[in-house]
Amino acid sequence: MPGRHGLPAPEAQVPVAAPVGEFLAKLPPRTVNLLKWALRVFELTPFPWRFSRLEIEARSDYLAKMETSRIGIYRELALLAKLLAMIGYARDERVSDVVGVRTACAVSEGSPAPRVEGIGEIVPRGDGEECDVAIVGSGAGGAVAAAVLAEAGLDVLVLESGPYVNHRDYPTDPLEGLPMMYRDGGLTIAQGRPAIPVPVGRTVGGTTVINSGTCFRAPDEVLRQWRDEAGVPWATDLAPDFASAEEMLQVRRLDIETLGRNGQLCAEGAEALGASGGPISRNAGACVQCSS
């Protein structure tokens, strides 16, 4: 916990509020207005008290209660507060030193270094763009669809709401990277119990750029459901198409040895529980490590 186990204390040793303020200033006005509304509600939830006027221990206890509350908005507000606080706290180098996080890039032995190529400048014509097919989104789905259609001879236009960012220019500071490459600054949340953060990419390459390039095939039971219940007779015959897409995207399964300690702990826990599990498959080619 912050302030314990060798971690510096928030605010006393590591500024949190000021970096969060910088982060919020980079978000779209609509997102900022929603956050302001949510934080005002959060401040008033301990009625008749205000959250900011509670003692530190009382705040911690109240947050713990909110996380397990039966009221959905309470759980989501608690998660939002934690996300904002961690954005400001975890980006500090002193925290990274204790946790052992280091940004690095490594490729499998004997493999060439990743190629660095741009996509060139795209200057729209004054009278608009004409094409046979327009694809919205440049992630794993949109990119593959665009490539297949282009190879078939169609004129394809891919639309992406975010910028193109070369991997050499990836920001290491989350306060810079989140507004640049994530929708809503990475604050998209799936409702439920518990509420779950769902990072959504806003950059060329889509969400695969920010989620370690995770790629997996639709499960067999889902494909059978598509065939039997949705009336898609060819749904269970997609294995060759999956293989073709995986070859195009250079999908490889991550070696257990290259997992971070958090991944290794998850694998050990799954084994202890008798649950199936293992390293994910990623469309990263020869790259085996994006950070330590």
Side-chain angles (χ1 to χ4, degrees):
M1 292 180 63
R4 304 176 187 176
H5 308 295
L7 288 168
E11 293 301 349
Q13 295 175 289
V14 174
V16 176
V20 170
E22 296 175 16
F23 167 69
L24 295 178
K26 298 177 181 178
L27 298 182
R30 172 184 170 276
T31 303
V32 173
N33 289 334
L34 288 173
L35 286 173
K36 286 181 178 179
W37 175 86
L39 291 174
R40 289 191 188 104
V41 174
F42 179 83
E43 169 73 355
L44 298 174
T45 50
F47 184 82
W49 301 278
R50 289 176 177 264
F51 182 83
S52 61
R53 297 177 184 175
L54 298 176
E55 297 294 332
I56 295 297
E57 291 299 325
R59 294 183 198 177
S60 297
D61 292 341
Y62 187 71
L63 280 172
K65 292 178 181 178
M66 289 184 72
E67 287 183 300
T68 57
S69 172
R70 294 179 178 273
I71 303 175
I73 192 171
Y74 277 25
R75 300 192 302 271
E76 292 163 12
L77 287 172
L79 178 60
L80 174 62
K82 289 175 62 176
L83 284 174
L84 290 175
M86 290 308 299
I87 287 172
Y89 180 76
R91 50 107 53 172
D92 192 278
E93 291 184 358
R94 289 165 291 185
V95 177
S96 300
D97 289 340
V98 176
V99 176
V101 173
R102 286 291 180 274
T103 300
C105 184
V107 297
S108 56
E109 186 175 353
S111 299
R115 291 183 300 173
V116 179
E117 298 179 356
I119 60 174
E121 293 293 330
I122 300 178
V123 181
R125 293 188 292 267
D127 56 351
E129 297 285 343
E130 294 185 1
C131 62
D132 297 318
V133 180
I135 294 178
V136 180
S138 61
V144 172
V148 170
L149 292 171
E151 288 176 354
L154 296 176
D155 186 8
V156 181
L157 176 66
V158 179
L159 302 175
E160 174 57 56
S161 63
Y164 170 73
V165 183
N166 190 289
H167 83 273
R168 292 188 305 184
D169 302 322
Y170 284 172
T172 57
D173 186 343
L175 294 185
E176 181 182 354
L178 288 171
M180 177 192 299
M181 302 174 67
Y182 290 67
R183 182 185 298 174
D184 294 328
L187 298 178
T188 308
I189 297 174
Q191 294 182 339
R193 187 173 186 184
I196 302 174
V198 182
V200 180
R202 193 187 70 87
T203 184
V204 173
T207 303
T208 58
V209 175
I210 62 169
N211 73 347
S212 297
T214 304
C215 291
F216 59 90
R217 299 187 180 190
D220 290 340
E221 60 269 22
V222 173
L223 296 175
R224 287 193 293 269
Q225 185 179 26
W226 291 353
R227 180 193 62 193
D228 300 336
E229 299 180 19
V232 183
W234 42 262
T236 51
D237 301 324
L238 291 174
D241 301 285
F242 284 137
S244 176
E246 289 167 349
E247 181 179 2
M248 178 189 301
L249 295 172
Q250 302 182 58
V251 176
R252 303 287 186 274
R253 183 174 291 275
L254 191 64
D255 294 331
I256 189 72
E257 291 78 12
T258 61
L259 288 178
R261 183 54 183 156
N262 58 338
Q264 293 172 358
L265 288 173
C266 286
E268 293 169 7
E271 183 178 3
L273 293 171
S276 61
I280 61 173
S281 295
R282 306 174 60 232
N283 62 320
C287 178
V288 295
Q289 180 179 354
C290 295
S291 63
S292 61

